[in-house]
């Protein structure tokens, strides 16, 4: 038994990634969970509109964080502001038609506001827009679509590319008369196609099974989803270029998925996270897809309201895809002056 | 003939090869000033123990490794066929699909590819297995498929990394038939091997030891060039460099002096390789422990 345990320890010590995962991951998870795993939102971004906006702004419950007052706004502008996610609540301080409009797509923010309003009978009854029943599925399904896409895009792509290396065929490709970009695109495009089919299936299933609305323009959603796939597939290729086998690729892909599940705002609202953890969320592509999917599907957000998440996905895509192209080209280029990683490969076969 | 581009064995040139090539990976020197000509219409073998630098040499010639020093002469990429040590075929594609992929990669038209694939399936006896997944083929069949993939485009230079390692004797013989046919059709063939009997069949042989060229020439030339004499004995003898072969002992005498009771014999290539290695080691300065 001792011999077996010693052998196992030796093998484990050689597998540095697994050791790092076993030691670092619990600490990271504990810290991240501690700071991120909160459903309560202390401050709900609020806009106060209507002729009596300034006076009303000072009488709101402290939980409602007034970020702007617009005395000139009416109900239409208020709804438009919510559609564009400029705030979670708009209080219309109009003596004729007072109203409190709440964005139901921001589930936890809306719940927080409703609780605050319930304790303050002097304010008008809240009107929840976009998701009047505050159904969890309305909020979760668009986010889960993103998770499914990142799962398929990243893991399946990374496995597909690393399989080529593992079977020794990458070397064969390197000596064939392909340009590196032919190999790269030829490798990635089929996964892109499959991911698009997956996207359609997931959207249709989400709408049909869970009754999630699709209030906005499909073309805006499609652009967001394609940009998101661009990043997810790029991550898959990048992971494959730093992995020697499929086990390593899965391990790395899972390590990129976990923070996206926890920190993208998919489950825990970004607004409730400590700032030290929240910025990690702003580096993750799922964060922006969740904003786009919820925006288009639930709030019917217009394109210009989603320029920031779209732009961020494009930026992340360019960075991740650029890096993956560079690394992939290096894999196909003749070795001899490469990094330690390439050297060790060459040494092994020398 | 497998390669049927119409080139005749007699129009030979010593076109391809390496000139004083050195390859370094960081502090490790994988090849040191290796020169080798790979002539058309002939098989050239690189032989050496594991980690001798055989694969690196082959990869330099096909352009997968950039030499640190020296010059490489190779045809354009479309005229090179390479069979890597890992066979380089896709286990989850059928025999047909593997060949079709290679044909398409090398730009063969649909019609040419179809007739060429049919011809190769015939020659390699893989016709009956054409719809089988490559991953389900026996070792020998998979190596034959890999060879077919490497030559589907009728390249001028074919580079084979240990094509017969780990295959059964019948498949080895078949592979050799295919390789010999390639050379007979005018193709320049370079292959790495660990088998002396295979090297013996080659037109010329390069012997590598720890990245350095130990001997280069025809098997006959290598045998003749070995210094000293070879003796055979029934038992072991102290203070002589000796090795056991076929139940008896071979003794290398660098100065030709005969051990007592030994019989002078003619070295074959295997003996020649051992003697060349011993001679090389004897010429190296001793490193103080």
């Amino acid at each position: 038994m001792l011999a077996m345990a010693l052998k196992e320890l030796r093998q484990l010590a050689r597998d540095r990634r697994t050791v790092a995962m076993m030691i670092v991951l619990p600490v990271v998870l504990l810290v991240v969970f501690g700071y991120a795993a909160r459903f309560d939102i202390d401050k709900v971004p609020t806009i106060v509109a209507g002729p009596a906006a300034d006076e009303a702004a000072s009488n709101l419950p402290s939980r409602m964080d007034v970020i702007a007052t617009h005395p000139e706004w009416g109900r239409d502008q208020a709804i438009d502001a919510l559609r564009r996610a400029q705030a979670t609540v708009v209080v219309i301080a109009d003596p004729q038609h007072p109203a409190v409009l709440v964005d139901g797509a921001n589930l936890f923010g809306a719940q927080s506001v409703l609780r605050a309003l319930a304790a303050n009978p002097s304010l008008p009854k809240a009107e929840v827009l976009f998701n009047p029943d505050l159904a969890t599925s309305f909020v979760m399904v668009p986010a889960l679509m993103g998770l499914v896409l990142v799962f398929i895009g990243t893991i399946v792509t990374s496995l597909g590319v690393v399989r080529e290396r593992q079977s020794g065929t990458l070397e064969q490709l390197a000596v064939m008369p392909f340009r590196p970009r032919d190999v790269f695109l030829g490798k990635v495009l089929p996964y892109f196609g499959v991911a698009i089919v997956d996207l359609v299936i997931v959207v249709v299933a989400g709408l049909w099974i869970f009754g999630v609305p699709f209030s906005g323009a499909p073309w805006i959603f499609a652009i967001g989803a394609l940009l998101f796939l661009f990043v997810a597939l790029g991550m898959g290729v990048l992971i494959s270029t730093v992995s020697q086998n499929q086990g390593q690729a899965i391990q790395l892909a899972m390590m990129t998925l976990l923070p996206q599940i926890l920190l993208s705002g998919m489950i825990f609202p970004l607004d409730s996270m400590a700032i030290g953890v929240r910025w990690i969320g702003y580096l993750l592509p799922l964060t922006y897809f969740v904003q786009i999917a919820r925006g288009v599907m639930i709030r019917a957000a217009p394109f210009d309201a989603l320029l920031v998440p779209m732009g961020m996905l494009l930026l992340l895509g360019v960075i991740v895809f650029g890096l993956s192209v560079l690394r992939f080209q290096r894999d196909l280029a003749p070795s001899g002056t490469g990094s330690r990683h390439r050297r060790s490969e060459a040494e092994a076969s020398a | 003939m497998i390669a049927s581009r119409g080139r005749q064995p007699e129009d030979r040139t010593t076109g391809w090869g390496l000139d004083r090539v050195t390859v370094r990976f960081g502090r490790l020197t994988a090849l040191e000033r290796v020169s080798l000509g790979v002539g058309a219409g002939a098989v050239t073998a690189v032989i050496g123990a594991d980690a001798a630098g055989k694969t690196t040499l082959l990869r330099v010639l096909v352009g997968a490794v950039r030499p640190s020093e020296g010059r490489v002469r190779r045809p354009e990429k479309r005229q090179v066929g390479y069979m890597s040590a890992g066979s380089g075929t896709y286990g989850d594609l059928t025999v047909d699909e593997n060949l079709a992929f290679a044909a398409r990669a090398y730009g063969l038209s649909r019609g040419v590819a179809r007739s060429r694939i049919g011809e190769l399936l015939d020659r390699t006896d893989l016709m009956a297995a054409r719809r089988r997944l490559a991953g389900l083929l026996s070792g020998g069949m998979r190596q034959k498929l890999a060879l077919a993939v490497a030559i589907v485009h009728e390249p001028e230079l074919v580079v084979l990394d240990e094509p017969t390692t780990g295959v059964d004797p019948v498949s080895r013989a078949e592979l050799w038939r295919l390789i010999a046919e390639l050379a007979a059709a005018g193709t320049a063939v370079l292959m790495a091997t660990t088998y002396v009997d295979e090297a013996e069949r080659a037109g010329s042989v390069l012997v590598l030891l720890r990245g350095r060229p130990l001997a280069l020439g025809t098997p006959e030339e290598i045998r003749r060039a070995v210094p000293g004499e070879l003796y055979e004995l029934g038992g072991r003898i102290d203070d002589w460099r000796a090795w056991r072969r076929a139940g008896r002992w071979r003794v290398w005498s660098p100065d030709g002096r005969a051990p007592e009771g030994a019989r002078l014999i003619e070295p074959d290539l295997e003996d020649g390789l051992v003697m060349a290695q011993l001679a090389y080691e004897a010429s190296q300065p001793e490193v103080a422990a």
Side-chain angles (χ1 to χ4, degrees):
Chain A
M1 191 275 288
L2 190 64
M4 189 72 197
L6 272 173
K7 177 214 67 130
E8 206 61 32
L9 268 176
R10 281 202 177 115
Q11 286 178 307
L12 190 61
R14 298 245 155 82
D15 187 358
R16 288 184 196 164
R17 286 192 200 196
T18 304
V19 172
M21 206 168 84
M22 288 171 72
I23 294 169
V24 177
L25 209 60
V27 178
V28 171
L29 285 182
L30 187 77
V31 172
V32 167
F33 260 120
Y35 285 110
R38 291 180 193 175
F39 295 112
D40 313 318
I41 296 179
D42 299 332
K43 298 278 182 200
V44 181
T46 304
I47 292 175
V48 187
D54 294 328
E55 189 190 336
S58 54
N59 294 325
L60 291 174
S62 60
R63 192 171 287 259
M64 294 167 74
D65 181 27
V66 178
I67 54 170
T69 54
H70 294 287
E72 73 284 5
W73 277 15
R75 187 180 169 87
D76 289 346
Q77 289 95 331
I79 292 174
D80 190 55
L82 290 180
R83 211 181 281 290
R84 292 169 176 274
Q86 290 170 352
T88 303
V89 188
V90 180
V91 177
I92 302 176
D94 181 346
Q96 308 292 316
H97 306 286
V100 177
L101 305 179
V102 181
D103 174 12
N106 185 347
L107 193 64
F108 298 106
Q111 284 171 344
S112 181
V113 170
L114 293 183
R115 275 197 302 274
L117 291 174
N120 197 337
S122 64
L123 286 165
K125 195 170 177 294
E127 195 182 325
V128 179
L129 302 178
F130 315 127
N131 180 14
D133 299 329
L134 291 180
T136 309
S137 61
F138 279 28
V139 180
M140 283 308 286
V141 169
L144 283 171
M145 287 174 186
L147 187 63
V148 170
L149 289 181
V150 80
F151 192 81
I152 290 164
T154 305
I155 292 192
V156 178
T157 309
S158 69
L159 288 183
V161 182
V162 92
R163 194 168 51 215
E164 199 91 51
R165 181 201 308 283
Q166 217 174 337
S167 64
T169 43
L170 197 64
E171 188 181 44
Q172 199 79 28
L173 294 178
V175 298
M176 281 178 163
F178 286 125
R179 287 166 301 188
R181 73 161 179 268
D182 294 335
V183 179
F184 184 84
L185 289 175
K187 215 50 228 178
V188 172
L189 282 178
Y191 293 104
F192 205 76
V194 173
I196 288 172
V197 173
D198 265 323
L199 171 71
V200 173
I201 293 171
V202 169
V203 171
V204 170
L207 302 183
W208 187 50
I209 299 171
F210 296 100
V212 178
F214 201 113
S215 317
W219 67 269
I220 302 175
F221 181 84
I223 291 176
L226 289 179
L227 285 172
F228 179 59
L229 280 179
F230 180 51
V231 190
L233 266 68
M235 277 167 60
V237 180
L238 195 56
I239 286 170
S240 73
T241 60
V242 294
S243 304
Q244 291 300 306
N245 54 55
Q246 300 196 2
Q248 281 185 1
I250 289 182
Q251 206 176 49
L252 259 180
M254 292 309 290
M255 284 166 98
T256 65
L257 278 183
L258 204 60
Q260 299 204 73
I261 295 170
L262 295 175
L263 302 175
S264 63
M266 182 180 111
I267 301 171
F268 309 112
L270 276 169
D271 291 340
S272 68
M273 289 177 200
I275 192 73
V277 172
R278 201 189 305 168
W279 70 266
I280 304 174
Y282 291 130
L283 297 175
L284 305 173
L286 189 59
T287 303
Y288 301 105
F289 179 77
V290 167
Q291 291 175 9
I292 293 168
R294 284 179 181 163
V296 176
M297 291 178 69
I298 310 175
R299 290 194 306 263
F303 185 73
D304 62 317
L306 297 169
L307 279 178
V308 171
M310 295 271 189
M312 283 306 292
L313 282 182
L314 184 65
L315 180 68
L316 286 172
V318 168
I319 293 171
V320 170
F321 233 79
L323 281 175
S324 65
V325 168
L326 285 178
R327 293 219 35 125
F328 194 80
Q329 281 186 334
R330 220 180 58 152
D331 274 359
L332 287 176
S335 59
T337 51
S339 68
R340 205 173 141 191
H341 155 70
R342 285 193 61 81
R343 272 207 303 276
S344 64
E345 260 180 34
E347 281 164 19
S349 62
Chain B
M1 307 275 164
I2 289 184
S4 50
R5 62 175 51 250
R7 275 181 287 119
Q8 296 302 310
E10 55 267 25
D11 79 27
R12 297 175 179 192
T13 45
T14 344
W16 322 122
L18 316 179
D19 298 324
R20 297 174 71 80
V21 161
T22 296
V23 175
R24 292 188 202 93
F25 298 115
R27 290 163 66 182
L28 178 109
T29 303
L31 285 180
E32 196 172 334
R33 283 184 291 173
V34 176
S35 296
L36 173 69
V38 184
V43 178
T44 305
V46 183
I47 189 165
D50 288 340
K54 302 187 296 293
T55 296
T56 303
L57 185 149
L58 265 50
R59 295 178 76 205
V60 168
L61 188 58
V62 296
V65 171
R66 194 179 292 126
S68 314
E69 286 164 30
R71 206 166 68 92
V72 183
R73 287 169 285 121
R74 64 170 161 267
E76 55 150 336
K77 264 191 168 184
R78 279 181 198 280
Q79 289 301 335
V80 179
Y82 178 50
M83 174 179 169
S84 62
S87 104
T89 54
Y90 293 93
D92 47 2
L93 293 185
T94 64
V95 170
D96 251 347
E97 288 164 345
N98 268 289
L99 286 164
F101 167 66
R104 194 166 262 242
Y106 283 102
L108 267 58
S109 70
R110 202 175 284 255
V112 172
R114 197 179 303 125
S115 73
R116 178 72 180 148
I117 288 170
E119 180 197 342
L120 284 170
L121 289 172
D122 269 338
R123 292 285 172 199
T124 52
D125 284 331
L126 287 172
M127 191 60 92
R130 65 186 302 171
R131 299 197 203 295
R132 212 185 294 171
L133 291 178
L136 299 178
L137 297 176
S138 68
M141 288 168 93
R142 190 148 185 188
Q143 290 301 87
K144 282 195 285 184
L145 170 62
L147 177 60
V149 165
I151 61 173
V152 71
H153 54 299
E154 301 182 76
E156 288 175 24
L157 171 67
V158 173
V159 178
L160 311 168
D161 196 354
E162 301 196 23
T164 59
T165 298
V167 304
D168 64 272
V170 176
S171 298
R172 261 184 83 188
E174 281 184 47
L175 279 160
W176 255 101
R177 173 179 58 81
L178 295 167
I179 293 166
E181 283 179 3
L182 271 178
T187 310
V189 181
L190 175 66
M191 64 175 287
T193 182
T194 49
Y195 301 123
V196 178
D197 62 320
E198 281 189 351
E200 214 143 24
R201 299 188 202 192
S204 60
V205 178
L206 169 68
V207 186
L208 281 181
L209 178 70
R210 293 193 283 273
R212 293 188 180 89
L214 203 57
L216 173 64
T218 64
E220 184 59 30
E221 284 166 349
I222 290 174
R223 270 199 301 271
R224 281 208 210 115
V226 174
E229 299 289 357
L230 182 68
Y231 293 92
E232 190 184 62
L233 272 172
R236 180 153 197 180
I237 184 165
D238 288 337
D239 301 327
W240 291 82
R241 288 186 176 87
W243 63 98
R244 203 167 162 80
R245 201 173 155 199
R248 296 185 66 81
W249 285 86
R250 303 279 165 98
V251 181
W252 175 55
S253 170
D255 54 11
R257 188 165 51 92
E260 208 178 297
R263 184 169 70 91
L264 181 71
I265 60 167
E266 194 63 30
D268 60 14
L269 184 61
E270 186 172 339
D271 293 320
L273 296 181
V274 177
M275 290 159 74
Q277 184 167 341
L278 290 174
Y280 172 80
E281 281 166 3
S283 70
Q284 296 301 299
E286 293 224 358
V287 179

